[in-house]
């Protein structure tokens, strides 16, 4: 989005800091909305080989090749030095105000077509604006006040107590903190498991979030990737086979409460049963539940398996910027008090204990979470969950009526369907894609009107994409034959 502001360098000169820098051109319009440019696929090849690779990628619906170590600066807004007399002219302040005003309008436009990523954009935190003038830092243990006095620990602990009640663990039996993102929750949960079982093996389904495998690399853990069912949930038959091969080592398991792409929920009860049947007593395994999105939705879904500390799990994490609707990335991590003792250390400099992944932690995030939990409460979230599930079924049914392959897991609001052929369409609707499939995550901010607009746009474009007689891809291997509407399975 920022790149749209300067893709043609119309108002900012990329010059050395010592040269004169024009602030605004005559034709600069601070209220204009510039469409975000679609970058070309980045590949190592060039010439004919490059074009052939690009063609094969488009035909096969493969991943765009991304190359590390190459920074693209066409989307950069340069930081420039103020003029000597700027405090009198105010040109720099006017320039920055214009850029921010334009950026805000771009954000408003991009928010209108936001469907592929799980963010609840329906919120209003105007009441908290009065607190943005303070540097609020919750460094150290949330339950031990450090020497740094500008913090929001009472709000943080209040939020943690709310989630502890949700997941059925007593106040004196849990420990937790508000993280900077969902990934940090996974890194922390898996780290606790590794500290408890240094020689343990990490098990995670192939459709687990990439942060789980990042944790395995960071902590130098042996990791077994477990196969999944068509739905995306863990295949406990394959899990059983891998457990039996490694019976002599403890098991550290990531259980998905909603996978990233298909929104699949692993059967926690079946996972525990499989561990027990393979001879793993409760003191020889550790389960971390990654509930980034659905961890907050599941408690309000009838017939959904319960995520609770009354079962032999070690930790649960959720994202705060997803279903809750916090405007900044954050999350909640809850584990058992008995487990955290293996991880924490005294830090005299802080006059606190260190048991978190990060040192400094955003003290504003607990305020946002506390505010929205108080406004909505359990009943408010229950209504939003029901709305999301209802709208997700509506989208799935409409897609299938239009002849488009689509799948929706029973406990999910993530609708999976065929990947659009046009990358510009994907970018416009901000869809998340993998191979031949894409998905829409139906959040509280996604209305029926928005879904109808998306469907109309998709159907209109599909006529053009397939007017040459080509057929949509077969998605049977991704969504199952009963959800695939390709010519072979229609």
């Amino acid at each position: 989005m920022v790149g749209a502001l300067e893709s043609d360098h119309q108002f900012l000169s990329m010059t050395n800091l010592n040269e004169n820098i024009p602030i605004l051109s005559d034709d600069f319009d601070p209220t204009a909305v510039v469409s975000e440019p679609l970058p070309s696929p980045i590949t190592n090849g060039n010439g004919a080989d490059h074009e052939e690779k690009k063609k094969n990628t488009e035909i096969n619906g493969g991943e765009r090749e991304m190359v590390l170590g190459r920074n693209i600066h066409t989307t950069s807004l340069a930081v420039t030095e103020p003029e000597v007399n700027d405090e009198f002219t105010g040109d720099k302040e006017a320039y920055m105000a214009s850029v921010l005003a334009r950026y805000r309008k771009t954000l408003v436009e991009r928010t209108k077509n936001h469907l592929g990523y799980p963010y609840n954009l329906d919120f209003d935190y105007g009441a908290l604006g009065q607190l943005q003038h303070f540097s609020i830092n919750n460094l150290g243990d949330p339950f031990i006040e450090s020497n740094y006095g500008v913090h929001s620990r009472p709000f943080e602990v209040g939020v943690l107590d709310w989630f502890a009640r949700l997941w059925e663990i007593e106040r004196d039996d849990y420990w937790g903190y508000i993280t900077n993102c969902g990934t940090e929750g996974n890194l922390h949960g898996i780290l606790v498991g590794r500290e408890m079982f240094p020689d343990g093996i990490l098990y995670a389904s192939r459709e687990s979030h990439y942060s789980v495998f990042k944790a395995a690399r960071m902590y130098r853990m042996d990791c077994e990737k477990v196969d999944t069912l068509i739905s995306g949930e863990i295949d406990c038959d394959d899990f059983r086979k891998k457990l039996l091969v490694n019976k002599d080592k403890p098991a550290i398991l990531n259980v998905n409460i909603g996978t990233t792409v298909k929104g699949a929920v692993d059967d926690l009860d079946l996972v525990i049963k499989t561990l027990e049947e393979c001879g793993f007593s409760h003191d020889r395994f550790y389960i971390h539940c990654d509930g980034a999105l659905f961890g907050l939705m599941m408690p309000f879904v009838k017939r959904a398996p319960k995520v609770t500390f009354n079962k032999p799990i070690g930790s649960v994490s959720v994202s705060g910027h997803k279903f809750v609707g916090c405007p900044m990335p954050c999350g909640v991590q809850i584990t058992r008090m008995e487990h955290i003792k293996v991880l924490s250390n005294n830090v005299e400099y802080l006059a606190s204990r260190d048991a978190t992944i990060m040192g400094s932690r955003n003290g504003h995030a607990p305020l946002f979470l506390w505010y929205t939990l108080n406004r909505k409460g359990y009943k408010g979230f229950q209504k939003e969950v029901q709305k999301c599930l209802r709208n997700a079924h509506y989208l799935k049914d409409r897609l299938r009526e239009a002849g488009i392959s689509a799948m929706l897991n029973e406990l999910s609001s993530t609708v999976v369907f065929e990947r659009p052929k046009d990358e510009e369409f994907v970018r416009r609707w901000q869809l998340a894609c993998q191979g031949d499939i894409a998905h829409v995550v139906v959040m509280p901010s996604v209305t029926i009107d928005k879904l109808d607009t998306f469907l109309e746009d998709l159907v209109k474009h599909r006529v053009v994409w397939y007017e040459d007689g080509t057929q949509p891809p077969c998605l049977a291997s991704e969504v199952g034959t009963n959800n695939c509407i390709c010519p072979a399975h229609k």
Side-chain angles (χ1 to χ4, degrees):
M1 282 172 277
V2 177
L5 302 178
E6 200 204 354
S7 59
D8 57 0
H9 293 243
Q10 67 174 343
F11 64 91
L12 184 62
S13 174
M14 298 292 288
T15 58
N16 293 327
L17 295 179
N18 293 329
E19 297 180 14
N20 292 326
I21 301 171
I23 298 298
L24 296 175
S25 63
D26 293 336
D27 61 347
F28 176 72
D29 180 4
T31 64
V33 177
V34 182
S35 60
E36 190 172 5
L38 179 67
S40 301
I42 302 172
T43 64
N44 279 321
N46 51 51
D49 290 340
H50 168 71
E51 291 302 319
E52 184 63 26
K53 287 181 181 178
K54 181 178 177 182
K55 181 179 179 182
N56 289 337
T57 298
E58 292 173 349
I59 292 175
N60 298 326
E63 299 178 0
R64 178 191 301 166
E65 183 179 357
M66 287 163 276
V67 181
L68 294 177
R70 182 186 299 175
N71 292 331
I72 309 300
H73 288 282
T74 56
T75 59
S76 169
L77 273 171
V79 176
T80 60
E81 290 296 302
E83 296 287 344
V84 176
N85 63 345
D86 185 67
E87 61 180 286
F88 301 104
T89 65
D91 285 348
K92 194 61 176 287
E93 290 293 331
Y95 155 70
M96 291 189 294
S98 297
V99 170
L100 293 175
R102 191 175 182 183
Y103 176 56
R104 182 186 185 282
K105 192 155 188 178
T106 301
L107 289 177
V108 170
E109 291 300 314
R110 295 300 283 146
T111 298
K112 291 179 182 178
N113 297 331
H114 187 283
L115 287 179
Y117 295 88
Y119 302 119
N120 181 5
L121 306 179
D122 184 15
F123 53 76
D124 180 4
Y125 292 106
L128 300 182
Q130 59 185 317
L131 304 177
Q132 299 308 301
H133 302 287
F134 300 96
S135 177
I136 309 176
N137 192 329
N138 286 6
L139 46 83
D141 191 308
F143 301 93
I144 303 175
E145 186 167 344
S146 76
N147 290 335
Y148 186 80
V150 187
H151 61 77
S152 61
R153 280 187 178 80
F155 295 89
E156 180 172 18
V157 175
V159 170
L160 295 173
D161 284 345
W162 190 92
F163 279 95
R165 290 194 299 271
L166 187 70
W167 295 323
E168 300 181 325
I169 184 169
E170 295 297 323
R171 293 174 62 177
D172 294 338
D173 295 335
Y174 87 86
W175 184 91
Y177 74 104
I178 293 180
T179 63
N180 290 304
C181 61
T183 287
E184 186 180 348
N186 287 340
L187 292 177
H188 191 275
I190 293 171
L191 178 60
V192 174
R194 200 284 306 269
E195 291 298 287
M196 290 186 62
F197 302 115
D199 62 337
I201 294 178
L202 176 62
Y203 298 86
S205 82
R206 296 184 181 277
E207 299 209 20
S208 297
H209 191 259
Y210 66 85
S211 61
V212 173
F213 306 110
K214 178 191 290 187
R217 294 194 304 272
M218 289 176 63
Y219 305 147
R220 298 289 193 268
M221 299 173 70
D222 291 333
C223 181
E224 290 282 356
K225 291 186 178 181
V226 183
D227 292 340
T228 57
L229 306 176
I230 284 290
S231 65
E233 70 179 273
I234 191 169
D235 182 348
C236 280
D237 288 337
D238 187 55
F239 179 44
R240 181 188 302 273
K241 294 174 185 176
K242 289 179 166 61
L243 281 174
L244 292 175
V245 172
N246 301 290
K247 283 188 67 174
D248 58 327
K249 290 189 176 182
I252 303 167
L253 179 65
N254 178 76
V255 169
N256 294 305
I257 314 301
T259 57
T260 307
V261 177
K262 295 182 179 179
V265 177
D266 293 340
D267 190 331
L268 177 59
D269 293 332
L270 184 57
V271 164
I272 294 171
K273 182 181 178 183
T274 303
L275 283 161
E276 293 171 342
E277 290 178 350
C278 289
F280 286 80
S281 56
H282 290 185
D283 61 352
R284 291 192 64 239
F285 67 78
Y286 180 94
I287 295 176
H288 170 68
C289 298
D290 176 11
L293 171 60
F294 295 111
L296 186 52
M297 297 177 67
M298 290 279 288
F300 306 108
V301 179
K302 292 181 180 178
R303 306 182 311 280
K306 217 172 186 184
V307 178
T308 169
F309 280 92
N310 290 327
K311 299 176 182 179
I313 63 174
S315 53
V316 186
S317 63
V318 296
S319 295
H321 55 287
K322 292 179 180 174
F323 194 80
V324 176
C326 187
M328 61 193 66
C330 62
V332 173
Q333 161 73 351
I334 298 283
T335 186
R336 297 179 186 273
M337 179 67 79
E338 62 189 274
H339 296 338
I340 202 63
K341 294 176 182 177
V342 303
L343 193 64
S344 61
N345 295 290
N346 289 325
V347 181
E348 183 179 2
Y349 170 75
L350 301 179
S352 183
R353 297 276 291 175
D354 173 37
T356 61
I357 295 287
M358 300 298 175
S360 292
R361 295 185 293 107
N362 187 341
H364 289 276
L367 299 172
F368 286 91
L369 293 174
W370 178 89
Y371 185 79
T372 195
L373 291 180
N374 271 287
R375 287 192 66 185
K376 295 180 180 179
Y378 293 109
K379 290 185 178 179
F381 283 112
Q382 185 175 33
K383 289 180 180 178
E384 291 194 338
V385 168
Q386 292 171 351
K387 172 188 172 184
C388 291
L389 296 180
R390 188 166 55 246
N391 289 355
H393 278 277
Y394 172 82
L395 174 60
K396 185 259 295 183
D397 292 342
R398 286 288 309 277
L399 284 167
R400 292 179 65 83
E401 288 170 7
I404 301 172
S405 300
M407 179 185 79
L408 173 63
N409 278 308
E410 181 183 5
L411 304 173
S412 174
S413 67
T414 299
V415 181
V416 180
F417 58 99
E418 70 179 51
R419 180 176 187 159
K421 289 186 69 175
D422 182 5
E423 288 299 309
E424 189 66 58
F425 182 92
V426 170
R427 175 63 64 88
R428 166 176 162 75
W429 287 99
Q430 300 170 65
L431 301 177
C433 302
Q434 180 174 290
D436 285 332
I437 60 175
H439 75 206
V440 164
V441 185
V442 180
M443 301 296 287
S445 54
V446 176
T447 63
I448 292 293
D449 287 343
K450 180 179 286 191
L451 294 176
D452 284 339
T453 302
F454 166 73
L455 284 159
E456 291 169 7
D457 198 24
L458 177 60
V459 171
K460 180 179 69 176
H461 278 80
R462 285 182 89 247
V463 173
V464 178
W465 298 336
Y466 298 111
E467 64 182 354
D468 59 357
T470 59
Q471 298 293 332
C474 174
L475 300 185
S477 62
E478 295 280 4
V479 302
T481 55
N482 58 322
N483 294 310
C484 181
I485 313 183
C486 75
H489 297 103
K490 191 171 182 179

